[in-house]
Amino acid sequence: SNMHARSGIRLFRDQELPWYKLALQQAEAMHGIRSEHPVFFTWLEDPSAGLNADLTRSMRWYFTGISMHLVLQVLLVIAAIGTLWSWGW
């Protein structure tokens, strides 16, 4: 109920989804309607700031995953070289 909200974006946070589904069930029961494929939105004052925060968080997880993969690959190559070295290659 933010009076300064001027735009909405689609809901991306899974932890908020049960509350939206509960509101949907209440609306279906109260108004006698049926929603087969609901799409949930949240109102924001500045949707760009919200999307930028989500993008920053996503990019952080992406680069963390890439870095972890690189470290794993380097360790596997070192282990393979060590194994081949011990076999006399």
Side-chain angles (χ1 to χ4, degrees):
S1 70
N2 185 348
M3 298 306 287
H4 299 289
R6 58 183 173 91
S7 298
I9 61 169
R10 188 168 180 190
L11 181 69
F12 291 112
R13 293 180 180 87
D14 289 335
Q15 66 267 22
E16 295 177 6
L17 190 59
W19 298 107
Y20 280 81
K21 287 185 177 182
L22 177 62
L24 175 66
Q25 290 173 354
Q26 291 174 347
E28 286 178 338
M30 183 181 296
H31 299 290
I33 56 174
R34 180 83 179 125
S35 178
E36 296 294 326
H37 304 286
V39 180
F40 301 113
F41 292 90
T42 183
W43 286 100
L44 296 173
E45 275 186 53
D46 185 11
S48 297
L51 290 176
N52 287 339
D54 289 341
L55 177 64
T56 302
R57 185 174 53 250
S58 299
M59 293 301 288
R60 187 178 312 128
W61 277 108
Y62 174 75
F63 286 117
T64 299
I66 293 293
S67 300
M68 294 303 293
H69 182 74
L70 176 66
V71 169
L72 176 65
Q73 291 299 312
V74 168
L75 291 175
L76 289 173
V77 167
I78 291 171
I81 290 172
T83 301
L84 291 174
W85 186 275
S86 70
W87 289 348
W89 278 60

